[in-house]
């Protein structure tokens, strides 16, 4: 689909059928990646492991590449 799996992509094109690494703005205005995989459910974002809906507004995403230990 995209040339590099490590490339950050716009949230507007985030797929809903896979685990994603997402970046969010924190309260200080700094961008950081969440430490757990998420997926999109319509306009909502969900913690992939717990299925808990998250109150986040991601800035961009890429495919989740962290290995499960």
């Amino acid at each position: 689909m995209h040339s590099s799996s490590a490339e950050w992509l716009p949230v507007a094109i985030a797929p809903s059928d896979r685990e994603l690494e997402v970046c969010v703005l924190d309260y200080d205005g700094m961008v950081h990646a969440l430490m757990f995989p998420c997926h999109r459910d319509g306009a909502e974002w969900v913690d992939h492991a717990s299925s808990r809906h998250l109150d986040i507004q991601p800035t961009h995403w890429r495919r989740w590449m962290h290995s499960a230990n």
Side-chain angles (χ1 to χ4, degrees):
M1 177 167 135
H2 299 285
S3 60
S4 170
S5 62
E7 179 182 358
W8 289 101
L9 300 165
V11 170
I13 63 168
S16 58
D17 63 344
R18 66 190 73 167
E19 295 179 13
L20 304 175
E21 180 178 12
V22 298
C23 280
V24 296
L25 285 171
D26 67 16
Y27 293 109
D28 296 323
M30 302 294 291
V31 175
H32 66 91
L34 296 182
M35 302 302 295
F36 52 88
C38 299
H39 68 269
R40 197 169 55 99
D41 181 14
E44 301 290 321
W45 287 89
V46 178
D47 177 328
H48 193 76
S50 70
S51 297
R52 183 175 58 101
H53 283 258
L54 303 169
D55 184 18
I56 60 172
Q57 299 279 327
T59 57
H60 45 283
W61 68 277
R62 64 183 173 190
R63 191 171 130 223
W64 181 259
M65 298 296 287
H66 301 284
S67 61
N69 292 338

